[in-house]
Amino acid sequence: MFNKILFATSATSACDPAARVAFALAQKHNSQLLIFHVLGVPTRGYSQEVVDVRTGEKVEANDEYIAWVREEIKVHYTKQLETVPGTAIEVTVGIPHREILRKARSESPDLLVMGGTTGDREQSVYKKVMVGSTLHRVAKAAFCPVLAVARPAASFWGGFSSIVFGTDFSKAADAAFDYAFRTAKQIDGDLHLFHALDIGIPQLGGLVDQDAIEKQIREARQRIRGRYAAKMEGFKNYSIEVWEGIPYIEIVKFAREKQADLIILAHHGQPESPEDDRLSSIMEQVIVRASCPVI
C-alpha cells in the first residue's frame, strides 16, 4: 500500500506524533522510509549562514554542522529506527516547503507525512513555519497524498479500518474520493461519506430557516449518492451522512462518532479560488483538532 514514505520532520517533540505514525506505517507495510529535515533558510543569497528552524539561532551550515544535525536526528529517533532498518536520513538547507516539494518530486513517495502544531507556537520557529505556510503549500502542490498529524492523540491508533471522507463536491474532492475508496477497498474497511453543510454563525437575533436547511441536506445526500456511491459497485461498507454547522467542527465530531482511524480531505476546491483561504482554514482546523491522522 505504501512502498515508499517520505517523513518531513523538525526532529523535535513538535513532530513526535507524526513520527510515531510514519514509523508505524513503514513497519506495518514494510515500506522504504526517508526522513527529511530542512535545516533552515539562508540569511542572504548563497550564504552558508542560516536560521536553524529547531533553535531559531543563526548557524554556519557547513558540511560539519549538517553531519552533526544528521547525527542528532539519529539520536532523537533511536528507538524508532530500530523498528525500520534501512531508514535513510537527509538534511538540507533552504525554504522548507520548496525543499520538501523538491524531494517529493525526486523520490515519488506513496505518502508524505508531516507534523502540525502542538503546544506553544511561540516557543518553536518550526511550528510557526509549518502551520503558517509550509503544510498548506506542500499539501496544495504535492503530487502525492500528504498525511498530517498534529495532536499526540492522533498518533495512537491501531491501523486503518474506518475512514471518513469529507467532500465539498469540488473536482479536488473527486480526486480525494478516488483515493479514499481505493484505500478502503485495500484495507477492507468502512468508508463514511460526509458533507458538512456550512450554515456559518447566525447573526444575533437572526433565524435560520430549518426547512431550507433540511432541503439542502436532502439534496446533498442525493449528490453524494450520484457522485460517489454510484462508483462503488460491489462495495457495501459505506455510509452517507450530511450535517449542518461549521464544517471543521462537524467533520471532527463526525469522525469521533464513527471512531475513524483516518480523515481524507481535498486541500482546496477550485484552483486560485477566492475560497482557498477559507478551505485552507477548514483543513488546518481539522488537522489541529482531529483525534486521528488526516490525509
Side-chain angles (χ1 to χ4, degrees), residues 173-263:
D174 291 346
F177 164 76
D178 291 339
Y179 184 80
F181 179 43
R182 289 199 307 271
T183 302
K185 284 202 302 182
Q186 287 178 347
I187 66 174
D188 191 26
D190 297 324
L191 178 59
H192 306 287
L193 310 177
F194 181 74
H195 174 67
L197 182 64
D198 188 356
I199 61 173
I201 302 176
Q203 299 294 323
L204 291 176
L207 295 175
V208 179
D209 188 298
Q210 193 62 34
D211 288 338
I213 290 174
E214 290 175 5
K215 180 176 182 290
Q216 292 180 63
I217 288 174
R218 290 193 297 271
E219 291 172 348
R221 284 202 181 102
Q222 285 300 115
R223 290 184 72 183
I224 291 175
R225 291 191 182 96
R227 193 164 187 142
Y228 305 123
K231 299 179 180 179
M232 299 191 293
E233 185 176 352
F235 184 80
K236 303 298 183 183
N237 302 333
Y238 74 90
S239 67
I240 295 173
E241 195 61 77
V242 179
W243 290 1
E244 77 271 24
I246 300 172
Y248 69 82
I249 292 177
E250 302 310 317
I251 292 169
V252 171
K253 285 166 54 181
F254 181 74
R256 185 167 59 238
E257 179 176 297
K258 295 298 181 181
Q259 298 182 326
D261 308 303
L262 181 66
I263 297 172

Coordinates of all heavy atoms in Angstrom, one line a residue, residues 173-263:
A173 N -12.1 17.3 -4.6 CA -12.7 16.3 -3.7 C -13.0 15.0 -4.4 O -12.9 14.0 -3.8 CB -14.1 16.9 -3.1
D174 N -13.3 15.1 -5.7 CA -13.4 13.9 -6.5 C -12.2 13.0 -6.5 O -12.2 11.8 -6.4 CB -13.8 14.2 -8.0 CG -15.2 14.8 -8.1 OD1 -16.0 14.7 -7.1 OD2 -15.5 15.3 -9.1
A175 N -11.0 13.7 -6.6 CA -9.7 13.0 -6.6 C -9.5 12.4 -5.2 O -9.0 11.3 -5.1 CB -8.6 14.0 -7.0
A176 N -9.9 13.2 -4.2 CA -9.7 12.7 -2.8 C -10.6 11.5 -2.6 O -10.2 10.5 -1.9 CB -10.1 13.8 -1.8
F177 N -11.8 11.5 -3.2 CA -12.7 10.3 -3.0 C -12.1 9.1 -3.7 O -12.1 8.0 -3.1 CB -14.0 10.6 -3.7 CG -14.8 9.3 -3.9 CD1 -15.5 8.7 -2.9 CD2 -14.9 8.7 -5.2 CE1 -16.2 7.5 -3.1 CE2 -15.6 7.6 -5.4 CZ -16.2 6.9 -4.3
D178 N -11.5 9.2 -4.9 CA -10.9 8.1 -5.5 C -9.8 7.5 -4.6 O -9.7 6.2 -4.5 CB -10.2 8.5 -6.8 CG -11.3 8.9 -7.9 OD1 -12.4 8.5 -7.8 OD2 -10.9 9.6 -8.8
Y179 N -9.0 8.3 -4.0 CA -8.0 7.8 -3.1 C -8.6 7.1 -1.8 O -8.2 6.0 -1.4 CB -7.1 8.9 -2.6 CG -5.9 8.5 -1.8 CD1 -4.8 7.9 -2.3 CD2 -6.0 8.6 -0.4 CE1 -3.8 7.5 -1.5 CE2 -5.0 8.2 0.4 CZ -3.8 7.6 -0.2 OH -2.8 7.2 0.6
A180 N -9.7 7.7 -1.3 CA -10.3 7.2 -0.1 C -10.9 5.8 -0.4 O -10.9 4.9 0.4 CB -11.4 8.2 0.4
F181 N -11.6 5.7 -1.6 CA -12.2 4.5 -2.0 C -11.2 3.4 -2.2 O -11.4 2.2 -1.7 CB -13.1 4.7 -3.2 CG -13.8 3.5 -3.7 CD1 -14.4 2.7 -2.9 CD2 -13.8 3.2 -5.1 CE1 -15.1 1.5 -3.4 CE2 -14.4 2.1 -5.6 CZ -15.1 1.2 -4.7
R182 N -10.1 3.7 -2.9 CA -9.1 2.7 -3.1 C -8.5 2.2 -1.8 O -8.3 1.0 -1.6 CB -7.9 3.3 -4.0 CG -8.3 3.5 -5.4 CD -7.0 3.6 -6.3 NE -6.1 4.6 -5.7 CZ -6.1 5.9 -6.1 NH1 -7.1 6.3 -6.9 NH2 -5.2 6.7 -5.6
T183 N -8.3 3.1 -0.9 CA -7.7 2.8 0.5 C -8.7 1.9 1.2 O -8.3 0.9 1.8 CB -7.4 4.1 1.3 OG1 -6.5 4.9 0.5 CG2 -6.8 3.7 2.6
A184 N -10.0 2.3 1.2 CA -11.0 1.5 1.9 C -11.1 0.0 1.4 O -11.2 -0.9 2.1 CB -12.3 2.2 1.9
K185 N -11.0 -0.1 0.1 CA -11.0 -1.4 -0.6 C -9.8 -2.2 -0.2 O -9.9 -3.4 0.1 CB -11.1 -1.3 -2.1 CG -12.5 -0.9 -2.6 CD -12.7 -1.3 -4.0 CE -11.7 -0.7 -5.0 NZ -11.9 -1.1 -6.4
Q186 N -8.6 -1.6 -0.2 CA -7.4 -2.3 0.1 C -7.4 -2.8 1.5 O -6.9 -3.9 1.8 CB -6.2 -1.4 -0.2 CG -5.9 -1.2 -1.6 CD -4.7 -0.3 -1.9 OE1 -4.3 0.4 -0.9 NE2 -4.2 -0.2 -3.1
I187 N -7.9 -2.1 2.5 CA -7.9 -2.5 3.9 C -9.1 -3.2 4.3 O -9.3 -3.7 5.4 CB -7.7 -1.3 4.8 CG1 -8.9 -0.3 4.7 CG2 -6.4 -0.5 4.4 CD1 -8.8 0.8 5.7
D188 N -10.1 -3.3 3.3 CA -11.4 -3.9 3.6 C -12.0 -3.2 4.8 O -12.5 -3.9 5.8 CB -11.3 -5.4 3.9 CG -12.6 -6.1 3.9 OD1 -13.6 -5.6 3.3 OD2 -12.7 -7.2 4.6
G189 N -12.0 -1.9 4.8 CA -12.5 -1.2 5.9 C -13.8 -0.4 5.6 O -14.4 -0.6 4.5
D190 N -14.3 0.4 6.5 CA -15.5 1.1 6.4 C -15.2 2.5 5.8 O -14.2 3.2 6.2 CB -16.3 1.3 7.7 CG -16.7 0.0 8.3 OD1 -17.1 -0.9 7.5 OD2 -16.6 -0.2 9.5
L191 N -16.0 3.0 4.9 CA -15.9 4.3 4.3 C -17.1 5.1 4.6 O -18.2 4.8 4.2 CB -15.6 4.2 2.8 CG -15.4 5.5 2.0 CD1 -14.3 6.3 2.6 CD2 -15.3 5.3 0.6
H192 N -16.9 6.3 5.3 CA -18.1 7.1 5.6 C -18.0 8.4 4.8 O -17.0 9.2 4.9 CB -18.0 7.5 7.1 CG -17.9 6.3 8.0 ND1 -19.0 5.5 8.2 CD2 -16.9 5.8 8.7 CE1 -18.7 4.5 9.0 NE2 -17.4 4.6 9.4
L193 N -19.0 8.6 3.9 CA -19.0 9.7 3.0 C -19.7 10.9 3.7 O -20.9 10.7 4.1 CB -19.7 9.4 1.7 CG -19.2 8.1 1.0 CD1 -20.1 7.8 -0.2 CD2 -17.8 8.2 0.6
F194 N -19.1 12.0 3.9 CA -19.6 13.1 4.7 C -19.5 14.4 4.1 O -18.5 14.8 3.4 CB -18.9 13.1 6.1 CG -19.4 14.1 7.0 CD1 -20.6 13.9 7.7 CD2 -18.6 15.3 7.3 CE1 -21.0 14.8 8.6 CE2 -19.1 16.2 8.2 CZ -20.3 16.0 8.9
H195 N -20.6 15.2 4.2 CA -20.6 16.6 3.8 C -21.1 17.5 4.9 O -22.2 17.2 5.5 CB -21.5 16.8 2.6 CG -21.7 18.2 2.2 ND1 -20.6 19.0 1.7 CD2 -22.8 19.1 2.2 CE1 -21.1 20.2 1.4 NE2 -22.3 20.3 1.7
A196 N -20.4 18.5 5.2 CA -20.8 19.5 6.2 C -21.5 20.7 5.5 O -20.8 21.4 4.8 CB -19.7 19.9 7.1
L197 N -22.8 20.9 5.7 CA -23.5 22.0 5.1 C -23.1 23.2 6.0 O -23.5 23.3 7.1 CB -25.0 21.7 5.2 CG -25.9 22.8 4.5 CD1 -25.6 22.9 3.1 CD2 -27.3 22.4 4.8
D198 N -22.4 24.2 5.3 CA -21.9 25.3 6.1 C -23.0 26.4 6.2 O -23.4 27.0 5.3 CB -20.8 25.9 5.3 CG -20.0 27.1 6.1 OD1 -20.5 27.4 7.2 OD2 -19.0 27.6 5.6
I199 N -23.5 26.5 7.5 CA -24.6 27.5 7.7 C -24.0 28.7 8.5 O -24.7 29.6 8.8 CB -25.7 26.9 8.5 CG1 -25.3 26.4 9.9 CG2 -26.4 25.8 7.8 CD1 -26.4 26.0 10.8
G200 N -22.6 28.6 8.7 CA -22.0 29.7 9.4 C -22.5 29.9 10.8 O -23.1 29.1 11.4
I201 N -22.3 31.1 11.3 CA -22.8 31.5 12.6 C -23.8 32.6 12.4 O -23.6 33.7 12.0 CB -21.6 32.1 13.5 CG1 -20.5 31.0 13.6 CG2 -22.1 32.5 14.8 CD1 -19.3 31.5 14.3
P202 N -25.1 32.3 12.7 CA -26.2 33.2 12.5 C -25.9 34.5 13.3 O -25.4 34.5 14.4 CB -27.4 32.5 13.1 CG -27.0 31.0 13.0 CD -25.6 31.0 13.3
Q203 N -26.3 35.6 12.7 CA -26.2 36.9 13.4 C -27.1 36.9 14.6 O -28.1 36.2 14.7 CB -26.6 38.1 12.4 CG -25.7 38.2 11.2 CD -24.3 38.5 11.6 OE1 -24.1 39.3 12.5 NE2 -23.3 38.0 10.9
L204 N -26.7 37.7 15.6 CA -27.6 37.8 16.8 C -29.0 38.2 16.4 O -29.2 39.2 15.7 CB -27.0 38.8 17.7 CG -25.6 38.4 18.4 CD1 -25.1 39.6 19.2 CD2 -25.8 37.2 19.2
G205 N -30.0 37.5 16.8 CA -31.3 37.8 16.5 C -31.8 37.2 15.2 O -33.0 37.2 14.9
G206 N -30.9 36.7 14.4 CA -31.2 36.1 13.1 C -31.7 34.7 13.3 O -31.4 34.0 14.2
L207 N -32.6 34.2 12.3 CA -33.1 32.9 12.4 C -32.7 32.1 11.1 O -32.7 32.7 10.0 CB -34.6 32.9 12.5 CG -35.2 33.5 13.8 CD1 -36.7 33.5 13.8 CD2 -34.7 32.6 15.0
V208 N -32.3 30.9 11.2 CA -32.0 30.1 10.1 C -33.3 29.2 9.8 O -33.8 28.5 10.7 CB -30.8 29.1 10.4 CG1 -30.5 28.3 9.2 CG2 -29.6 30.0 10.7
D209 N -33.7 29.3 8.5 CA -34.9 28.5 8.1 C -34.6 27.0 8.1 O -33.9 26.6 7.3 CB -35.4 29.0 6.7 CG -36.7 28.4 6.4 OD1 -36.8 27.2 6.3 OD2 -37.6 29.2 6.2
Q210 N -35.2 26.3 9.1 CA -34.9 24.9 9.2 C -35.4 24.1 8.0 O -34.7 23.1 7.6 CB -35.5 24.3 10.5 CG -34.9 22.9 10.9 CD -33.4 22.9 11.1 OE1 -32.9 23.9 11.6 NE2 -32.8 21.8 10.8
D211 N -36.5 24.5 7.4 CA -37.0 23.7 6.3 C -36.0 23.9 5.1 O -35.7 22.9 4.4 CB -38.3 24.3 5.8 CG -39.5 23.9 6.8 OD1 -39.3 22.9 7.5 OD2 -40.5 24.6 6.8
A212 N -35.4 25.0 5.0 CA -34.4 25.3 3.9 C -33.2 24.4 4.1 O -32.6 23.8 3.2 CB -34.1 26.7 3.8
I213 N -32.8 24.4 5.4 CA -31.6 23.6 5.8 C -31.8 22.1 5.4 O -31.0 21.4 4.8 CB -31.2 23.7 7.2 CG1 -30.7 25.1 7.5 CG2 -30.2 22.7 7.7 CD1 -30.4 25.5 8.9
E214 N -33.0 21.6 5.8 CA -33.3 20.2 5.6 C -33.4 19.8 4.1 O -33.0 18.8 3.7 CB -34.5 19.8 6.4 CG -34.3 19.8 7.9 CD -35.6 19.5 8.7 OE1 -36.6 19.2 8.1 OE2 -35.5 19.6 10.0
K215 N -33.9 20.8 3.4 CA -34.0 20.6 1.9 C -32.6 20.5 1.3 O -32.3 19.6 0.5 CB -34.7 21.8 1.3 CG -34.9 21.7 -0.2 CD -35.7 22.8 -0.8 CE -35.9 22.7 -2.3 NZ -34.7 23.0 -3.0
Q216 N -31.6 21.4 1.8 CA -30.3 21.3 1.3 C -29.6 20.0 1.7 O -28.8 19.5 1.0 CB -29.5 22.5 1.8 CG -29.9 23.8 1.2 CD -29.1 25.0 1.8 OE1 -27.9 25.1 1.6 NE2 -29.8 25.9 2.5
I217 N -29.9 19.5 2.9 CA -29.3 18.3 3.4 C -29.8 17.1 2.5 O -29.0 16.3 2.1 CB -29.7 18.0 4.9 CG1 -29.0 19.0 5.8 CG2 -29.5 16.6 5.3 CD1 -29.4 18.9 7.2
R218 N -31.1 17.1 2.2 CA -31.6 16.0 1.3 C -30.9 16.1 -0.1 O -30.5 15.1 -0.7 CB -33.1 16.1 1.1 CG -33.9 15.8 2.4 CD -35.4 15.6 2.1 NE -36.0 16.9 1.6 CZ -36.5 17.8 2.4 NH1 -36.5 17.6 3.7 NH2 -37.1 18.9 1.9
E219 N -30.7 17.3 -0.6 CA -30.1 17.5 -1.9 C -28.6 17.0 -1.8 O -28.1 16.4 -2.8 CB -30.2 18.9 -2.3 CG -31.6 19.4 -2.7 CD -31.7 20.9 -2.9 OE1 -30.7 21.6 -2.6 OE2 -32.8 21.3 -3.4
A220 N -28.0 17.3 -0.7 CA -26.5 16.9 -0.6 C -26.4 15.4 -0.5 O -25.5 14.8 -1.1 CB -25.9 17.6 0.7
R221 N -27.3 14.8 0.2 CA -27.3 13.3 0.2 C -27.5 12.7 -1.2 O -26.8 11.7 -1.5 CB -28.4 12.8 1.2 CG -28.1 12.9 2.6 CD -28.9 12.0 3.4 NE -28.7 12.1 4.9 CZ -29.5 12.7 5.7 NH1 -30.6 13.3 5.3 NH2 -29.2 12.8 7.0
Q222 N -28.4 13.3 -1.9 CA -28.6 12.8 -3.3 C -27.3 13.0 -4.2 O -27.0 12.2 -5.0 CB -29.8 13.5 -3.9 CG -31.1 13.1 -3.4 CD -31.4 11.6 -3.7 OE1 -31.5 10.8 -2.8 NE2 -31.4 11.2 -5.0
R223 N -26.7 14.1 -4.0 CA -25.4 14.4 -4.7 C -24.4 13.4 -4.4 O -23.6 12.9 -5.2 CB -24.9 15.8 -4.4 CG -25.8 16.9 -5.0 CD -25.1 18.3 -4.8 NE -24.0 18.5 -5.6 CZ -23.2 19.6 -5.5 NH1 -23.5 20.5 -4.7 NH2 -22.2 19.7 -6.3
I224 N -24.3 13.0 -3.1 CA -23.3 12.0 -2.7 C -23.6 10.7 -3.3 O -22.7 10.0 -3.8 CB -23.2 11.9 -1.1 CG1 -22.6 13.2 -0.5 CG2 -22.4 10.7 -0.7 CD1 -22.7 13.2 1.0
R225 N -24.9 10.3 -3.3 CA -25.2 9.0 -3.9 C -24.9 9.0 -5.4 O -24.4 8.0 -5.9 CB -26.7 8.7 -3.7 CG -27.1 8.5 -2.3 CD -28.5 8.0 -2.2 NE -28.9 7.7 -0.8 CZ -29.6 8.6 0.0 NH1 -29.9 9.8 -0.6 NH2 -29.9 8.4 1.2
G226 N -25.2 10.1 -6.1 CA -25.0 10.1 -7.5 C -23.5 10.3 -7.9 O -23.1 9.7 -8.9
R227 N -22.8 11.1 -7.1 CA -21.4 11.4 -7.5 C -20.4 10.4 -7.0 O -19.4 10.1 -7.7 CB -21.1 12.8 -6.8 CG -19.8 13.4 -7.4 CD -19.8 14.9 -7.0 NE -18.7 15.6 -7.6 CZ -18.7 16.8 -8.1 NH1 -19.9 17.5 -8.0 NH2 -17.7 17.4 -8.6
Y228 N -20.7 9.7 -5.9 CA -19.7 8.8 -5.3 C -20.2 7.4 -5.1 O -19.5 6.5 -5.6 CB -19.2 9.4 -3.9 CG -18.7 10.8 -3.9 CD1 -19.3 11.8 -3.2 CD2 -17.6 11.1 -4.8 CE1 -18.8 13.1 -3.2 CE2 -17.1 12.4 -4.8 CZ -17.7 13.4 -4.0 OH -17.2 14.7 -4.1
A229 N -21.4 7.2 -4.5 CA -21.9 5.9 -4.3 C -22.0 5.1 -5.6 O -21.8 3.9 -5.6 CB -23.2 5.9 -3.5
A230 N -22.4 5.8 -6.6 CA -22.6 5.1 -7.9 C -21.3 4.5 -8.4 O -21.3 3.6 -9.3 CB -23.1 6.1 -8.9
K231 N -20.1 5.0 -8.0 CA -18.8 4.5 -8.4 C -18.4 3.3 -7.6 O -17.3 2.7 -7.9 CB -17.8 5.6 -8.3 CG -18.1 6.8 -9.2 CD -17.0 7.8 -9.1 CE -17.2 9.0 -9.9 NZ -16.1 10.1 -9.7
M232 N -19.1 2.9 -6.5 CA -18.7 1.9 -5.6 C -19.4 0.6 -5.8 O -19.8 -0.1 -4.8 CB -18.8 2.4 -4.2 CG -17.9 3.6 -3.9 SD -17.8 4.0 -2.2 CE -19.5 4.5 -1.8
E233 N -19.6 0.2 -7.0 CA -20.4 -1.0 -7.3 C -19.7 -2.2 -6.6 O -18.5 -2.5 -6.8 CB -20.5 -1.3 -8.8 CG -21.4 -2.5 -9.1 CD -21.6 -2.6 -10.6 OE1 -21.1 -1.7 -11.4 OE2 -22.1 -3.6 -11.1
G234 N -20.5 -3.0 -5.8 CA -20.0 -4.1 -5.1 C -19.4 -3.9 -3.8 O -19.1 -4.8 -3.0
F235 N -19.2 -2.6 -3.5 CA -18.6 -2.2 -2.2 C -19.8 -1.8 -1.2 O -20.5 -0.9 -1.5 CB -17.6 -1.1 -2.3 CG -16.9 -0.7 -1.0 CD1 -15.8 -1.4 -0.6 CD2 -17.3 0.4 -0.3 CE1 -15.2 -1.1 0.6 CE2 -16.7 0.8 0.9 CZ -15.6 0.0 1.3
K236 N -19.9 -2.6 -0.1 CA -21.1 -2.3 0.7 C -20.7 -1.6 2.0 O -21.6 -1.1 2.7 CB -21.7 -3.7 1.1 CG -22.1 -4.5 -0.1 CD -23.2 -3.8 -1.0 CE -23.6 -4.7 -2.2 NZ -24.6 -4.0 -3.0
N237 N -19.5 -1.5 2.4 CA -19.1 -1.0 3.7 C -19.0 0.5 3.7 O -17.9 1.1 3.9 CB -17.8 -1.6 4.2 CG -17.8 -3.1 4.3 OD1 -18.9 -3.7 4.5 ND2 -16.7 -3.7 4.1
Y238 N -20.1 1.2 3.3 CA -20.0 2.6 3.3 C -21.3 3.2 3.9 O -22.4 2.6 4.0 CB -19.8 3.2 1.9 CG -21.0 3.1 1.0 CD1 -21.9 4.1 0.9 CD2 -21.2 1.9 0.2 CE1 -23.0 4.0 0.0 CE2 -22.3 1.9 -0.7 CZ -23.2 2.9 -0.7 OH -24.3 2.8 -1.6
S239 N -21.2 4.5 4.3 CA -22.4 5.2 4.8 C -22.4 6.6 4.3 O -21.3 7.1 3.8 CB -22.4 5.2 6.4 OG -21.3 6.0 6.8
I240 N -23.5 7.2 4.3 CA -23.7 8.6 3.8 C -24.3 9.5 4.8 O -25.3 9.1 5.4 CB -24.5 8.6 2.5 CG1 -23.9 7.9 1.4 CG2 -24.8 10.1 2.1 CD1 -24.8 7.7 0.1
E241 N -23.7 10.6 5.1 CA -24.2 11.5 6.1 C -23.9 12.9 5.8 O -22.9 13.3 5.2 CB -23.6 11.2 7.5 CG -24.3 11.7 8.7 CD -25.8 11.2 8.8 OE1 -26.0 10.1 9.2 OE2 -26.7 12.0 8.4
V242 N -24.9 13.8 6.1 CA -24.8 15.2 5.9 C -25.3 15.9 7.2 O -26.4 15.7 7.7 CB -25.6 15.7 4.7 CG1 -25.5 17.3 4.6 CG2 -25.3 15.0 3.4
W243 N -24.4 16.8 7.7 CA -24.7 17.5 8.9 C -24.6 19.0 8.6 O -23.9 19.4 7.7 CB -23.8 17.2 10.1 CG -23.9 15.8 10.7 CD1 -24.8 14.9 10.3 CD2 -23.2 15.3 11.8 NE1 -24.6 13.8 11.0 CE2 -23.7 14.0 12.0 CE3 -22.2 15.8 12.6 CZ2 -23.1 13.1 13.0 CZ3 -21.6 15.0 13.6 CH2 -22.1 13.7 13.8
E244 N -25.4 19.8 9.3 CA -25.2 21.3 9.2 C -24.5 21.9 10.3 O -24.5 21.3 11.4 CB -26.6 22.0 9.1 CG -27.4 22.1 10.4 CD -28.2 20.9 10.7 OE1 -27.9 19.8 10.3 OE2 -29.2 21.1 11.5
G245 N -23.8 22.9 10.1 CA -23.0 23.6 11.1 C -21.7 24.2 10.6 O -21.7 24.6 9.4
I246 N -20.7 24.4 11.4 CA -19.4 24.9 11.0 C -18.6 23.7 10.5 O -18.4 22.8 11.3 CB -18.8 25.6 12.2 CG1 -19.6 26.8 12.6 CG2 -17.4 26.1 11.7 CD1 -19.1 27.5 13.9
P247 N -18.2 23.7 9.2 CA -17.6 22.5 8.6 C -16.5 21.8 9.5 O -16.6 20.6 9.7 CB -17.1 23.0 7.3 CG -18.0 24.1 6.9 CD -18.3 24.8 8.2
Y248 N -15.5 22.5 9.9 CA -14.4 21.8 10.6 C -14.9 21.2 11.9 O -14.4 20.1 12.3 CB -13.2 22.7 10.8 CG -13.3 23.8 11.8 CD1 -13.2 23.6 13.2 CD2 -13.6 25.1 11.4 CE1 -13.3 24.6 14.1 CE2 -13.7 26.1 12.3 CZ -13.6 25.9 13.7 OH -13.7 26.9 14.6
I249 N -15.8 21.8 12.6 CA -16.3 21.2 13.8 C -17.1 20.0 13.5 O -17.0 18.9 14.2 CB -17.2 22.3 14.6 CG1 -16.3 23.4 15.1 CG2 -18.0 21.6 15.7 CD1 -17.1 24.5 15.8
E250 N -18.0 20.0 12.5 CA -18.8 18.9 12.2 C -18.0 17.7 11.7 O -18.3 16.5 12.0 CB -19.9 19.3 11.1 CG -20.8 20.4 11.6 CD -21.4 20.2 12.9 OE1 -21.8 19.1 13.3 OE2 -21.4 21.2 13.7
I251 N -16.9 18.0 10.9 CA -16.1 16.9 10.4 C -15.4 16.2 11.6 O -15.4 14.9 11.7 CB -15.0 17.4 9.4 CG1 -15.7 17.9 8.1 CG2 -14.0 16.4 9.1 CD1 -14.8 18.7 7.2
V252 N -14.9 17.0 12.5 CA -14.2 16.4 13.7 C -15.2 15.6 14.5 O -14.9 14.5 15.0 CB -13.5 17.5 14.5 CG1 -13.0 16.9 15.8 CG2 -12.3 18.1 13.7
K253 N -16.4 16.2 14.8 CA -17.4 15.5 15.6 C -17.8 14.2 14.9 O -18.0 13.1 15.6 CB -18.6 16.4 15.8 CG -18.4 17.5 16.8 CD -19.5 18.6 16.7 CE -20.9 18.0 16.8 NZ -21.9 19.1 16.7
F254 N -18.0 14.2 13.6 CA -18.5 13.0 12.9 C -17.4 11.9 12.9 O -17.7 10.8 13.2 CB -18.8 13.4 11.4 CG -19.3 12.2 10.6 CD1 -20.5 11.7 10.8 CD2 -18.4 11.6 9.7 CE1 -21.0 10.6 10.0 CE2 -18.9 10.6 8.9 CZ -20.2 10.1 9.1
A255 N -16.1 12.3 12.7 CA -15.1 11.3 12.8 C -15.0 10.7 14.2 O -14.7 9.5 14.3 CB -13.7 12.0 12.4
R256 N -15.2 11.5 15.2 CA -15.1 11.0 16.5 C -16.3 10.0 16.8 O -16.1 8.9 17.4 CB -15.2 12.1 17.6 CG -15.0 11.7 19.0 CD -14.8 12.9 19.9 NE -15.9 13.8 19.9 CZ -15.8 15.1 19.5 NH1 -14.6 15.6 19.2 NH2 -16.8 15.9 19.5
E257 N -17.5 10.3 16.3 CA -18.6 9.5 16.5 C -18.4 8.1 15.8 O -18.8 7.1 16.3 CB -19.9 10.1 15.9 CG -21.1 9.3 16.0 CD -22.4 10.0 15.6 OE1 -22.7 11.0 16.2 OE2 -23.0 9.5 14.6
K258 N -17.8 8.2 14.6 CA -17.5 6.9 13.8 C -16.3 6.2 14.2 O -15.9 5.2 13.6 CB -17.5 7.3 12.3 CG -18.8 7.8 11.7 CD -19.9 6.7 11.8 CE -21.2 7.3 11.2 NZ -22.3 6.2 11.4
Q259 N -15.6 6.8 15.2 CA -14.3 6.2 15.7 C -13.4 6.0 14.5 O -12.7 4.9 14.3 CB -14.5 4.9 16.4 CG -15.4 5.0 17.7 CD -15.6 3.7 18.5 OE1 -15.7 2.7 17.9 NE2 -15.6 3.9 19.8
A260 N -13.2 7.1 13.7 CA -12.4 7.0 12.5 C -10.9 6.9 12.8 O -10.5 7.4 13.8 CB -12.7 8.2 11.6
D261 N -10.2 6.1 12.0 CA -8.8 6.0 12.1 C -8.1 7.0 11.1 O -6.9 7.2 11.2 CB -8.4 4.6 11.7 CG -9.1 3.5 12.5 OD1 -9.1 3.5 13.7 OD2 -9.7 2.7 11.8
L262 N -8.9 7.5 10.2 CA -8.3 8.4 9.2 C -9.3 9.3 8.6 O -10.5 8.9 8.3 CB -7.7 7.5 8.0 CG -7.0 8.2 6.9 CD1 -5.7 8.9 7.4 CD2 -6.6 7.2 5.8
I263 N -9.0 10.6 8.4 CA -9.8 11.5 7.7 C -9.2 11.9 6.4 O -8.0 12.2 6.4 CB -10.1 12.8 8.5 CG1 -10.8 12.4 9.8 CG2 -10.9 13.8 7.7 CD1 -10.9 13.6 10.8

